[in-house]
Every structure is written in C-alpha cells, then in structure tokens.
C-alpha cells in the first residue's frame, strides 16, 4: 500500500519588519490598542522593495533543499500557490522551475487561491502523487499582499504579512498520511475580499483606483469587508471541520493539534468558540509575523514542530479559509 | 437574555444605559469597523452561536437594523 507524506517544510519571510508602532507614521489617529486586541498581531514581516512572492518562495525552497531531504533533480512536480504572481503570464511556477534548476521533466503550474490554498495544494499534490504523475512534489505557497494594500486601510494593513513556505510531499510505503479532505466554495463572497481592476474584468471605482500601497505604487488596492468575512468564517469553518471529523471518523478530542489558517485573533477566537475546542490544542503563531495567506498553515506547522507542540505520528487538523470564498480542511499525520 | 443595547454596551466597553434604541455606528464613536467585529462576536456569543448564519448582520450597524434582523430570523421574539 502506498500513501502520501509531508516530508518537510521550511519557510522564508519578507525581509522588512513592521511593528504596530510604525502604522502611526501614516495613520497617527489609529488606536493601536484596539487594533492589537482585534487582530492579535503586534508586528508583520513584509517584502523588501523589489521582493516578489516568487523570490520568497525560491528562498523557502532552497532552505528545504539544503536539508537534503530530496535532491533537486528528483523533484518531478512543482505547484506554486499565489495570488501575487510575477506576471499574469507566463506562469510563475515556470520561472521558479528555472531558478531552482529543476529538471525540465518537472510538471510546474500555479494555482490562484489565497488562504485556502495550502489545503487545496495538498489535495492536488496528493492526487498527483497517488496517480503516478509525480514521486516527489514541491508545494510552494507565497504572497506579497502588502503590494496590494493601501497605507491607510485599517482593515487590511494591520493584518497581512508577506512570506512563503516550501513543502515537500512524496509517496511512501504504508498508510496515507494526508486526508481525508473537505473542500468548499461560495462565490457569493467574491466581492468581500477583492482587488478590483487587478485583472481584465473591470475598471475599479474611482475611490479604489489609485490607493498608495505599502510599496509606494499607485494601483488598485485590496478591499476587505472585515465583518462579512468574519461572519463567513464563523459559519463555514466550524461546519467544514465537523464534516471532516465525521468523514475521518474521529472525535474532536482525537485530534492532537488544530492548525487553522492564521487569519487574526477575532476570527480564530470565534471559530474556537463555535467548535468548543480547548485553547491548548489550537496553534497560534502569527502574532509577530501577520497573516501569511496560503503560507500561514505550513508556517504554523513548522513553528509548532520547532516549538515541540507537534511530534511525529500526531494527528493534525488543517483548515484554510478566506478569499473567494474558498475553504478546505484535511487531516494530516505529522512526520516531517 | 440581555437586551440588544446591553449586549452592544458590553461589546464596546460602554457604561450600562449609554446606548439608546436609536444608536448606530454613526452616533457611537466606539462602534467603528473594529467595534462592529466586537458587536458581532458578543451578539453571537450571547445567542449561543446561532447568529453565524445571518450574513445580513455584517452590515447591520444600528440597534434598529440588528433588532429587525433578529426578529425576522426568530432569534428575538416580539
């Protein structure tokens, strides 16, 4: 019997540090205490000038390769999950293949998902590995949302950070260590977290057209309906988790650690309240780095392992959720 | 069961009796976008998690609107 294993995770954060105090430079009237209470975030890692998501992803991948878990010529599939690609075309994963000097026999492609992206990436990777399309797959998750956020946006700016994670997945003899999965979508939430004018569909309304983003450029900026997104997470995520546990034939207490997308304190507190989970089983590692979008879950897994919160053989429940609306949950046996 | 006004006072850290039934995000300084997240959390907690399905609450930023929605959904009675 063959299964799929997560064999290793490494991450790389944006090179700038932005403590909450720095928010006052552009926004002297902001109440930092209220912001920290709502978000649970005291500092964010942000991309340096000129640093793109693919740069962060390549750094994370190189860290993983240095560990010697896999030789770069053995990698035969690369999935890059991002919503901040280098270009609309070509596919950023193609450029990463070249930069990492992977074989040209590598299947490389992007997936455009945000905070649900890691779980979807695991689902796609698992399917490819089990169907013989790959033996050793590199799943990279990275974003530089700071490039899309207005300096004066109090909903988005205090929350999002820039970073990347590299996850190695491979076929192993024995039990499957990833799955089952519960994936879902509700496109009615599409306009709740959006960058209008960022694609080819429409010209953004004037007030969204040229916000000065953190990178100093004038471009269409991200808009998030914080209340709408929070209501969605309170409703959809507990249901998805409950459905997953039922599918996995597990009770809540049989999960060793819950690693949710590290969205913000308000969002996580409400999900934990709805599921009635003990705090000690819920990992939170985002306070000093921010919400890392699709990299947040793998970063949290690595943090949990490094802190001794996650040990080999333990059962972890992962739940990613957000922009789209999109969500995904899965079980993972930790052996990285 | 606390009144909607009392729930919102607790959410926003206001003195009991300071919120009247005509209060809204326009008239209460603390009821800004961050305050509204606290209002939604406190309401949902007070009503035992039953409000998470009511999307309309995300945009309900007055006592009147909140009460109307909760009555329509049968969460509040008369």
């Amino acid at each position: 019997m063959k299964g799929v294993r997560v064999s290793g995770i490494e991450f790389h954060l944006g090179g700038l540090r932005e403590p909450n105090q720095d928010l006052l430079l552009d926004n002297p009237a902001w109440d930092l205490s209220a912001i920290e209470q709502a978000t649970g975030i005291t500092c964010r890692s942000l991309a340096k000038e000129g640093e793109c998501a693919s740069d962060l992803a390549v750094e994370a991948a190189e860290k993983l390769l240095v560990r010697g878990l896999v030789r770069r010529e053995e990698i035969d599939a690369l999935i890059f999950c991002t919503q901040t690609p280098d270009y609309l075309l070509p596919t950023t994963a193609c450029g990463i293949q070249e930069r990492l000097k992977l074989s040209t026999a590598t299947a490389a492609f992007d997936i455009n998902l945000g905070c649900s992206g890691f779980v979807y990436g695991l689902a796609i990777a698992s399917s490819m590995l089990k169907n013989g399309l790959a033996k050793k797959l590199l799943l990279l998750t990275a974003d530089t949302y700071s490039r899309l956020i207005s300096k004066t946006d109090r909903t988005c700016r205090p929350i999002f950070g820039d970073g990347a994670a590299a996850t190695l997945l491979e076929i192993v003899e024995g039990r499957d260590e990833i799955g089952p999965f519960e994936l879902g979508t509700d496109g009615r939430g599409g306009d709740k977290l959006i960058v209008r004018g960022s694609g080819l569909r429409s010209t953004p309304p004037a007030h969204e057209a040229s916000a000065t983003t953190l990178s100093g450029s004038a471009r269409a900026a991200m808009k998030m309906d914080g209340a709408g997104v929070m209501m969605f997470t309170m409703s959809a995520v507990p249901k998805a988790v409950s459905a997953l546990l039922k599918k996995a034939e597990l009770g809540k207490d049989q999960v060793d650690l819950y690693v949710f997308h590290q969205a913000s304190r308000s969002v996580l507190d409400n999900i934990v309240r709805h599921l009635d989970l003990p705090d000690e089983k819920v990992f939170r590692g985002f306070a000093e780095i921010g919400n890392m979008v699709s990299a947040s879950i793998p970063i949290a897994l690595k943090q949990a392992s490094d802190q001794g919160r996650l040990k080999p053989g333990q059962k972890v429940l992962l739940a990613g959720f957000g922009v789209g609306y999109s969500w995904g949950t899965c079980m993972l046996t930790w052996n990285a | 069961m606390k009144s909607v006004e009392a729930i919102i006072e607790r959410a926003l850290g206001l003195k009991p009796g300071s919120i009247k039934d005509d209060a809204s995000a326009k008239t209460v300084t603390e009821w800004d976008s961050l305050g509204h997240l606290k209002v939604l959390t406190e309401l949902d907690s007070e009503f035992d998690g039953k409000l998470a399905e009511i999307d309309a609450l995300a945009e309900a930023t007055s006592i009147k609107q909140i009460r109307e929605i909760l009555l329509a959904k049968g969460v509040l009675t008369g």
Side-chain angles (χ1 to χ4, degrees):
Chain A
M1 189 165 83
K2 290 188 190 298
V4 177
R5 167 179 293 173
V6 167
S7 298
I9 297 178
E10 290 292 339
F11 65 84
H12 184 80
L13 305 178
L16 294 178
R17 299 286 290 154
E18 182 186 72
N20 282 355
Q21 197 64 28
D22 286 1
L23 300 174
L24 297 177
L25 295 171
D26 297 308
N27 308 281
W30 282 6
D31 181 346
L32 294 185
S33 171
I35 286 170
E36 188 176 325
Q37 188 187 32
T39 65
I41 294 166
T42 58
C43 191
R44 285 150 299 283
S45 290
L46 301 179
K48 294 183 289 194
E49 188 174 334
E51 202 169 42
C52 290
S54 64
D55 301 319
L56 302 176
V58 165
E59 293 284 344
E62 290 291 359
K63 283 183 182 175
L64 193 60
L65 288 165
V66 157
R67 283 174 58 184
L69 298 170
V70 65
R71 296 191 308 276
R72 65 187 74 223
E73 58 268 25
E74 290 180 300
I75 295 170
D76 48 8
L78 164 68
I79 301 175
F80 182 43
C81 177
T82 191
Q83 297 198 302
T84 47
D86 287 3
Y87 310 101
L88 285 183
L89 64 158
T91 302
T92 308
C94 298
I96 294 174
Q97 173 271 334
E98 196 279 329
R99 291 165 67 183
L100 289 177
K101 304 299 180 208
L102 305 181
S103 162
T104 55
T106 303
F109 56 95
D110 292 358
I111 57 175
N112 180 338
L113 280 169
C115 309
S116 63
F118 183 68
V119 176
Y120 271 78
L122 289 180
I124 296 167
S126 185
S127 299
M128 288 182 70
L129 288 159
K130 285 183 187 165
N131 282 290
L133 292 170
K135 292 194 178 67
K136 293 189 191 287
L137 187 149
L138 196 55
L139 170 60
L140 303 179
T141 43
D143 267 299
T144 52
Y145 266 22
S146 67
R147 296 284 158 78
L148 305 172
I149 292 173
S150 166
K151 287 182 178 181
T152 57
D153 184 335
R154 199 182 63 160
T155 303
C156 294
R157 185 165 174 195
I159 290 176
F160 291 105
D162 301 329
T167 303
L168 175 66
L169 293 107
E170 55 190 339
I171 284 284
V172 292
E173 292 295 330
R175 286 178 55 194
D176 204 2
E177 297 177 3
I178 305 179
F181 290 84
E182 276 284 321
L183 307 174
T185 309
D186 186 353
R188 289 175 298 177
D191 61 349
K192 302 298 183 190
L193 182 46
I194 188 168
V195 183
R196 293 191 198 281
S198 57
L200 301 180
R201 174 159 296 279
S202 65
T203 305
H207 67 278
E208 290 180 21
S210 66
T212 302
T213 64
L214 289 173
S215 61
S217 61
R219 58 151 60 97
M222 180 188 300
K223 289 295 169 193
M224 181 166 76
D225 174 351
V229 171
M230 194 176 81
M231 293 299 285
F232 149 70
T233 61
M234 271 205 292
S235 169
V237 178
K239 279 188 211 157
V241 168
S242 297
L244 178 74
L245 288 171
K246 189 174 175 186
K247 190 183 259 190
E249 297 179 349
L250 289 172
K252 276 194 305 193
D253 56 342
Q254 292 176 284
V255 174
D256 294 301
L257 193 69
Y258 290 82
V259 178
F260 295 109
H261 161 55
Q262 309 278 285
S264 72
R265 175 187 284 157
S266 300
V267 165
L268 287 190
D269 282 353
N270 280 320
I271 291 171
V272 169
R273 173 171 58 84
H274 269 260
L275 288 168
D276 193 22
L277 298 175
D279 277 336
E280 62 269 19
K281 279 205 173 181
V282 178
F283 185 78
R284 297 173 193 240
F286 60 94
E288 294 178 14
I289 59 175
N291 174 334
M292 290 283 167
V293 196
S294 60
S296 89
I297 291 175
I299 290 173
L301 285 168
K302 174 68 174 162
Q303 288 173 322
S305 178
D306 288 349
Q307 292 172 24
R309 295 278 303 275
L310 199 48
K311 297 182 172 51
Q314 286 192 312
K315 288 189 178 57
V316 195
L317 188 149
L318 309 181
F321 45 85
V323 56
Y325 295 135
S326 171
W327 62 91
T329 61
C330 73
M331 293 303 303
L332 170 71
T333 301
W334 180 253
N335 275 313
Chain B
M1 178 70 65
K2 286 188 166 49
S3 66
V4 171
E5 288 88 339
I7 295 168
I8 292 175
E9 281 161 359
R10 190 166 71 192
L12 299 178
L14 299 172
K15 289 181 192 165
S18 53
I19 294 270
K20 307 299 176 202
D21 61 5
D22 61 349
S24 75
K26 291 182 184 170
T27 61
V28 179
T29 307
E30 292 82 356
W31 199 346
D32 57 10
S33 59
L34 289 179
H36 193 52
L37 297 183
K38 290 193 268 189
V39 164
L40 293 174
T41 296
E42 197 70 33
L43 282 168
D44 185 61
S45 181
E46 183 67 24
F47 287 99
D48 299 323
K50 294 190 182 104
L51 306 193
E53 304 288 332
I54 309 177
D55 294 344
L57 284 172
E59 292 174 26
T61 50
S62 72
I63 298 283
K64 182 171 179 289
Q65 286 174 322
I66 291 171
R67 192 176 281 126
E68 280 173 1
I69 290 168
L70 297 184
L71 282 168
K73 294 292 182 180
V75 179
L76 274 181
T77 51

